[in-house]
Amino acid sequence: MSDLSSSASTLAVVPTKQATLLQCMLAGAMAGTAVDTALFPLDTLKTRLQSKAGFAASGGFRGVYSGLTSAVIGSAPGASMFFVTYEGLKKTLTTVLPDPQHAPMVHMMSASGGEIAACFVRVPTEVIKQRMQTKQFTTTSAAFKSVIHNEGILGFYRGYFSTVAREIPFTCIQFPLYEYMKKTYAFATHRQVVDPWEAAICGSIAGGIAAAITTPLDVIKTRLMLSQRSPVGAGGAPSNAYYSGINSTFKRILAEEGPRALFSGVGPRVMWISIGGSIFLGVYEKVKVVVASRDN
């Protein structure tokens, strides 16, 4: 990702005036690409730990950049979609709910709307990326053709609802906590706003906490995305690797592997999002300030 007022941007410290949606889009695109590229190996390890096949069978520590192309393709448009929607909703909701007491609700609703919009772009690339990370395919084109042939266009949106179900609780935890930490620290140091690097630290801590709490939802999302319709078991029935539905996947993991499996990959996930939160917010704020300054 001082007083929570309508004149302050949730994710950036703007020097002169609030940045436009175009500036937010450009800043978000650069920030998203920077994070996804720099921390991709951690994301790969997390995905392999959450795979039904197991860490070693999914590739272990080998080829940790598998699927990077798909991730990069989705990073900029996904992040841009989030920030444009987030900033637009926040501006509108702040007008409707101007009372500072409503600020946490405004941030949660805006972030939730941003994630729902971003997932339309992010999920298809995530499906390809995760299947390559777990060595189901060796090239992006092979993964793309397999999804089209076996599952159709809707195959690219396997795990869409589970992704949304993960992202909304995540943002509802992270953003209010992030804003509270910035506000508290600014008050303690007798300032109206914190510096960008201080905001990045707040985002890192808030992101790490939210990541740990929502790991079970991430495991469910990963299992659904990695699941394919093509493999079959005895009698033509779906193979043991096939998952369908959030509730059924949750119950199956509990029954077959126990509660501990729902926290598979929690270490890499928390590390990835904590470090990524710092990089993401740092790059986002820096780019946003530079772009806004040039336009001014």
Side-chain angles (χ1 to χ4, degrees):
M1 25 195 241
S2 64
D3 191 12
L4 301 180
S5 62
S6 60
S7 62
S9 175
T10 298
L11 291 180
V13 180
V14 184
T16 54
K17 66 178 183 179
Q18 189 173 10
T20 65
L21 292 182
L22 176 59
Q23 292 164 358
C24 294
M25 181 182 72
L26 294 174
M30 295 184 67
T33 303
V35 171
D36 287 345
T37 302
L39 301 179
F40 191 81
L42 279 176
D43 182 45
T44 298
L45 296 180
K46 182 267 299 182
T47 299
R48 291 174 178 177
L49 285 167
Q50 293 177 347
S51 171
K52 171 69 173 177
F55 181 72
S58 297
F61 291 99
R62 303 184 306 277
V64 293
Y65 281 97
S66 298
L68 177 61
T69 300
S70 177
V72 170
I73 290 174
S75 290
S80 296
M81 182 70 76
F82 171 81
F83 280 112
V84 167
T85 305
Y86 174 80
E87 295 286 356
L89 281 175
K90 189 179 68 173
K91 182 178 180 180
T92 301
L93 291 172
T94 299
T95 303
V96 177
L97 302 170
D99 192 328
Q101 293 183 349
H102 295 144
M105 183 186 300
V106 169
H107 296 142
M108 286 189 287
M109 293 173 66
S110 300
S112 296
E115 290 295 353
I116 291 172
C119 283
F120 278 106
V121 177
R122 187 186 306 149
V123 169
T125 58
E126 187 83 357
V127 169
I128 299 299
K129 179 197 74 173
Q130 292 202 325
R131 293 185 182 185
M132 291 184 66
Q133 285 177 324
T134 53
K135 299 301 182 182
Q136 291 185 24
F137 301 96
T138 57
T139 65
T140 301
S141 61
F144 180 86
K145 291 176 182 178
S146 176
V147 173
I148 287 289
H149 178 73
N150 295 311
E151 302 170 73
I153 295 297
L154 291 180
F156 289 106
Y157 286 92
R158 276 196 62 79
Y160 173 81
F161 291 108
S162 62
T163 303
V164 171
R166 177 198 67 178
E167 295 296 349
I168 290 180
F170 178 86
T171 54
C172 285
I173 294 170
Q174 181 193 32
F175 279 65
L177 182 57
Y178 168 69
E179 288 293 342
Y180 174 78
M181 292 174 66
K182 287 201 305 178
K183 176 183 176 181
T184 302
Y185 187 74
F187 178 78
T189 54
H190 309 289
R191 291 179 290 167
Q192 291 186 334
V193 296
V194 296
D195 293 332
W197 68 270
E198 294 169 330
I201 293 175
C202 292
S204 177
I205 297 172
I209 293 172
I213 295 173
T214 58
T215 294
L217 296 172
D218 188 54
V219 172
I220 292 171
K221 185 272 300 181
T222 297
R223 294 292 178 90
L224 286 168
M225 283 190 170
L226 293 179
S227 178
Q228 301 183 62
R229 290 186 179 277
S230 52
V232 295
S239 73
N240 190 47
Y242 184 74
Y243 292 87
S244 177
I246 298 174
N247 290 334
S248 61
T249 300
F250 173 73
K251 293 176 181 178
R252 182 175 163 187
I253 293 174
L254 279 180
E256 296 180 357
E257 304 170 65
R260 186 175 182 179
L262 290 170
F263 285 90
S264 299
V266 64
R269 174 170 163 78
V270 170
M271 186 181 301
W272 167 46
I273 294 180
S274 294
I275 299 174
S278 179
I279 297 174
F280 188 81
L281 291 171
V283 173
Y284 177 76
E285 291 175 355
K286 183 64 176 179
V287 173
K288 196 172 177 182
V289 167
V290 169
V291 173
S293 298
R294 287 180 178 176
D295 284 356
N296 289 336

